[in-house]
Amino acid sequence: MDAKLKETLKAFAKGSGKLCVLTGAGISAESGIPTFRGPEGYWTVGSKVYHPQEMATHHMFVRHPEAVWQWYLYRLGVCRKAAPNPGHRAIAQLEALFADRFTLITQNVDGLHLRAGNSPERTYQVHGNIFFMRCAMACTQAPFPMPQEVPLKEKDDPLTPEDLRLLRCPGCGGMARPHVLWFDETYNEAHYRFFSSLKAARETDLLITVGTSGATNLPNQVVSEALRRGAVMVDVNVEENPFGRAALSSSRGFFLKGKSGVVLPEMVELFRMGL
Ligand code: NAD
């Protein structure tokens, strides 16, 4: 880490400015949850193989609801078996250090930030949470926790009639859907904290982006808003990516190439030195 960045982090800690952390699938890679880049997410429906970006759509749910649920129950099993890693724990420590100066915006649906100790109030899960479901017909907007009895699924396990009985809306008895934002849907405040996220970006003095390729809409707006405000931006990623380039193209930005589970704990130590 270069000397200028070390001094910037220590000076930030001493001041009263706001910190916004934006995370993507990369932070959970070290917990064993694949990003959408590798072959692990591919899925066969009938005789056709689909990419995650095709499975995670309303279009697919309307045509093949059971196949989409089967894919989600497999992913739910992966998330249930995973545990927070040092990167998640470092971000929980940042909330403990900075309290109401801190906001976390995460694209991840795996719930690992909350399990690491971040608070639901300061964690905006802008793509939802896979441990929840809601009415597919929107008889109510409320998300419900996924029933504990829903079994973990291996990749080729078919859904049983009992599984389908559990995946019903507790309100109207119709089919439930995963409480996640699909690729062909739009953000809103009620489910995904859209306006709250933009507000946090507009107010932030330091933006740390972690493990995201910058391929989705709201995260791009968060970065643009923060840079427009003149925030310092630090991007953490194992490879060069659009957010790293955005950070480096701003006069006050940094790109840290490395694993989030290694880089973030080092950053926490530097913040601590400044306090
Ligand atoms: P992405 O798969 O497009 O990109 C992941 C990024 O993480 C890449 O830039 C990669 O270089 C980086 N990365 C990988 N390992 C890393 C590590 N150890 N440390 C730091 N960086 C690392 O992910 P995305 O940008 O988050 O977008 C995909 C969408 O898919 C998200 O919006 C999310 O909703 C969903 N998704 C969620 C999960 C999850 O909940 N864990 C997993 C996969 C996909």
Side-chain angles (χ1 to χ4, degrees):
M1 217 181 280
D2 75 27
K4 191 172 159 208
L5 175 56
K6 286 182 181 172
E7 286 318 308
T8 302
L9 297 184
K10 284 192 247 173
F12 173 85
K14 267 197 197 83
S16 57
K18 294 202 169 174
L19 167 63
C20 179
V21 180
L22 168 68
T23 64
I27 193 167
S28 295
E30 290 163 69
S31 295
I33 302 179
T35 67
F36 274 176
R37 299 237 182 140
E40 299 89 343
Y42 286 79
W43 204 257
T44 307
V45 181
S47 57
K48 238 185 124 193
V49 177
Y50 291 93
H51 188 264
Q53 266 92 337
E54 297 170 288
M55 288 304 292
T57 58
H58 188 255
H59 179 89
M60 188 64 120
F61 184 71
V62 168
R63 279 153 192 80
H64 303 286
E66 292 193 20
V68 171
W69 262 121
Q70 202 182 342
W71 185 65
Y72 272 99
L73 292 191
Y74 163 69
R75 289 176 51 78
L76 178 72
V78 173
C79 295
R80 268 198 200 153
K81 286 181 216 155
N85 67 53
H88 296 107
R89 287 196 289 276
I91 293 176
Q93 285 162 11
L94 290 179
E95 181 170 350
L97 287 179
F98 294 118
D100 58 5
R101 293 169 63 190
F102 172 92
T103 304
L104 171 59
I105 301 172
T106 185
Q107 299 167 76
N108 295 342
V109 299
D110 56 34
L112 287 178
H113 285 299
L114 300 180
R115 283 171 59 195
N118 283 111
S119 69
E121 296 74 30
R122 304 209 149 271
T123 303
Y124 302 161
Q125 300 177 106
V126 295
H127 292 170
N129 184 319
I130 200 168
F131 292 91
F132 288 77
M133 60 186 197
R134 61 179 202 261
C135 181
M137 300 305 291
C139 81
T140 163
Q141 294 293 318
F144 301 97
M146 197 74 80
Q148 276 301 319
E149 308 87 298
V150 170
L152 304 187
K153 291 277 175 192
E154 294 304 327
K155 246 187 165 174
D156 295 320
D157 283 353
L159 294 186
T160 65
E162 175 59 9
D163 298 337
L164 289 170
R165 193 189 62 76
L166 292 166
L167 299 172
R168 300 236 144 238
C169 166
C172 68
M175 188 167 240
R177 55 164 284 173
H179 177 52
V180 297
L181 180 72
W182 282 324
F183 282 98
D184 54 354
E185 294 182 314
T186 49
Y187 292 98
N188 62 44
E189 176 64 19
H191 286 139
Y192 306 115
R193 309 297 301 271
F194 178 70
F195 295 113
S196 301
S197 298
L198 291 179
K199 182 169 182 287
R202 283 187 201 116
E203 292 176 352
T204 199
D205 299 288
L206 171 60
L207 174 69
I208 303 176
T209 51
V210 187
T212 173
S213 63
T216 52
N217 180 302
L218 176 58
N220 274 293
Q221 290 193 53
V222 166
V223 169
S224 304
E225 291 291 343
L227 290 179
R228 191 170 302 138
R229 173 181 161 80
V232 174
M233 177 174 174
V234 183
D235 181 58
V236 179
N237 200 308
V238 287
E239 54 184 47
E240 286 171 20
N241 71 91
F243 285 168
R245 285 190 282 281
L248 290 177
S249 67
S250 101
S251 57
R252 309 178 68 203
F254 302 87
F255 172 55
L256 292 176
K257 191 169 184 176
K259 288 187 172 184
S260 44
V262 175
V263 176
L264 291 175
E266 287 174 11
M267 291 177 78
V268 171
E269 279 321 302
L270 286 163
F271 282 124
R272 281 215 173 96
M273 285 160 75
L275 282 170

